[in-house]
Amino acid sequence: MHKYRTHTCSKLTKNDEDQTVKLSGWIHRKRDHGNLLFFDLRDHYGLTQCVIENSSSFFKQVEKVKPESVVCVSGKVIKRSTDTVNKDLSTGEIEISISSFEVLSAAKELPMPVFGEQDYPEETRLKYRFIDLRRQEMHENIILRSKVISFLRNKMISNGFLEFQTPILTASSPEGARDFLVPSRLHPGKFYALPQAPQQFKQMVMISGFDKYFQIAPCFRDEDGRADRSPGEHYQLDIEMSFVEQEDIFKILEPIFFEVFTEFGKGKVVSKTPFKRIKYKDAMLKYGTDKPDLRNPIEVFDVTQIVNREDVKLDIFKKSIEKGAIVRAIPAPNISSKPRSFFDEYNNWAKNEGAKGLGYITFEKIKDKLFGKGPIAKFFSENALNELIKFCNLKKNDAV
């Protein structure tokens, strides 16, 4: 028999009943029932329940060993009774009746338990990262990362790309963030820079005639992480192609994005290719950003022409339009019943952003017709309001 194991902790089923097996792993959870002691043994592959009777000569040893100790057990595979089957485990129909037990590495008291998925302070998790990575969620995340990288690598190679590794210690290059610096031992007072991206090296590869390059590239940026920016250290799929146009890039990358999110998105709906394309000008008008979240149904509208009509008497707006200003309207669904203070807060926000204020109109329905209310509604004629309603797709209880 192998010194450490004959099976992993996910392999045994009721078909292995009465076999004598050996398993090694971490004690995940213990349950003492007095005359019987149960513990779940965990390895990379899964869990197997082990049981020992209090009449065993090494019962006391098992009783004292702490969770997360590494142990090796031998024993016979026993089929569980129907009422004790664990349907959540692939090994849930069996358990191991322990005949020998060896502690390979005893654990001390843990600063954070591995069993369960409670939240712990990030400082604790990073200090004891080797324990944090044993937790199921983190363990699965690391496996997922490996699978995604392998998937991307295979896709790029199948598309005729060559994988290159570019230098890490390099000279500083003009990128968009600060460099991380590394002191030079051979040249005191001088420093290497860590690459923010493999930009210069991959371009050297391309002008050398290699045609298609890719790299799962480490990138280093000495700046704080933000919601819409990469943190100080990250990896990215980095590519270059020769003699191509924009459409050629889309044809390569869009199917890869679709396939990777379909494969690893856990059933979530993924946009089919070709992806929706939005011109920069339209994105800035409709969403106010060049990276819009299309799950947000609200769009911004340019209502300059409506506000500039003769039957609209908003002089403060019209004077700004004469100077080249644009008037934009943001529809706000189902908020017309909000108190005045709600709108005042947005008005104060606009002033804090440098504007003179923020005008608004709320809409209510009377006899199948929408009527506008609010501070600037009185400056619009009925026809102008109807045009605004139609142009901005406004409905009952909306505001703009």
Side-chain angles (χ1 to χ4, degrees), residues 104-225:
L104 301 177
S105 178
K108 297 179 180 179
E109 288 293 337
L110 297 175
M112 52 184 281
V114 172
F115 173 70
E117 290 300 327
Q118 302 97 323
D119 287 329
Y120 297 95
E122 188 176 72
E123 183 178 353
T124 302
R125 291 178 57 196
L126 292 177
K127 183 176 180 180
Y128 300 100
R129 187 63 164 168
F130 61 97
I131 297 177
D132 186 43
L133 290 178
R134 297 180 191 181
R135 298 165 65 204
Q136 183 177 358
E137 181 182 7
M138 293 304 302
H139 197 82
E140 290 176 354
N141 285 348
I142 297 298
I143 293 171
L144 173 62
R145 185 180 190 273
S146 176
K147 289 181 177 178
V148 169
I149 289 175
S150 178
F151 184 90
L152 291 173
R153 177 171 281 117
N154 290 335
K155 287 294 176 184
M156 298 308 294
I157 291 172
S158 68
N159 277 298
F161 285 77
L162 294 174
E163 183 175 11
F164 286 77
Q165 286 74 41
T166 53
I168 298 299
L169 292 175
T170 180
S172 182
S173 60
E175 297 268 357
R178 286 188 299 270
D179 291 321
F180 275 112
L181 299 178
V182 180
S184 170
R185 178 180 61 84
L186 295 176
H187 307 282
K190 295 186 178 181
F191 297 81
Y192 296 104
L194 300 182
Q196 296 179 38
Q199 191 70 33
Q200 291 180 330
F201 298 110
K202 68 181 182 180
Q203 288 172 346
M204 287 173 63
V205 167
M206 300 314 292
I207 63 174
S208 300
F210 286 99
D211 200 71
K212 290 180 181 179
Y213 144 98
F214 89 96
Q215 183 180 185
I216 310 296
C219 301
F220 307 92
R221 296 168 186 177
D222 188 10
E223 59 184 18
D224 296 332

Side-chain angles (χ1 to χ4, degrees), residues 262-310:
T262 300
E263 178 75 17
F264 301 106
K266 296 183 178 179
K268 290 178 180 169
V269 177
V270 183
S271 302
K272 290 184 168 58
T273 57
F275 294 153
K276 182 177 181 179
R277 297 179 191 175
I278 305 172
K279 293 181 179 178
Y280 174 80
K281 181 180 179 182
D282 294 337
M284 296 305 292
L285 169 62
K286 292 182 179 181
Y287 309 105
T289 175
D290 61 353
K291 47 183 182 299
D293 184 342
L294 298 182
R295 294 171 296 182
N296 184 346
I298 296 175
E299 293 185 3
V300 181
F301 294 88
D302 185 341
V303 294
T304 306
Q305 289 186 334
I306 297 175
V307 174
N308 211 27
R309 288 169 53 126
E310 290 185 2

